[in-house]
Amino acid sequence: VCEWQPDILITDTNMPDKNGIDLIRDVAPKLPSLRIISLFNGLENSNLGHQDVLAMGAFMVLTKEELHAKLIPTLQAIV
């Protein structure tokens, strides 16, 4: 991600190799202008909530239930 320097990153909190929380922690400090949208389904083995993910550097947190209704308006607000 840092190599490509995108404007927007959409990540899931639950991914196979590296979860989205670790990705946000790694990338957000290195690319402060990056708008990170985190798809959040809750972390079963964690006490993290939406506010925690935002504090780590996410621009927006969407639940998977909100995805269809809010993703396009969120992207439009960014650009």
Side-chain angles (χ1 to χ4, degrees):
V1 173
C2 291
E3 182 179 324
W4 299 318
Q5 297 197 5
D7 295 321
I8 300 169
L9 172 68
I10 301 173
T11 184
D12 195 322
T13 53
N14 297 311
M15 297 188 300
D17 295 327
K18 182 175 197 170
N19 70 48
I21 299 300
D22 290 338
L23 180 63
I24 293 168
R25 281 186 184 137
D26 291 347
V27 172
K30 296 173 185 167
L31 297 172
S33 65
L34 178 64
R35 298 295 186 219
I36 301 171
I37 300 171
S38 177
L39 304 180
F40 191 87
N41 210 20
L43 298 174
E44 296 166 2
N45 299 320
S46 176
N47 293 324
L48 293 176
H50 287 188
Q51 294 302 319
D52 299 309
V53 177
L54 291 169
M56 288 175 202
F59 173 76
M60 175 69 70
V61 178
L62 299 176
T63 65
K64 292 182 182 178
E65 292 78 22
E66 297 173 316
L67 180 62
H68 293 292
K70 293 188 177 181
L71 182 60
I72 298 300
T74 298
L75 292 171
Q76 289 171 331
I78 292 171
V79 297

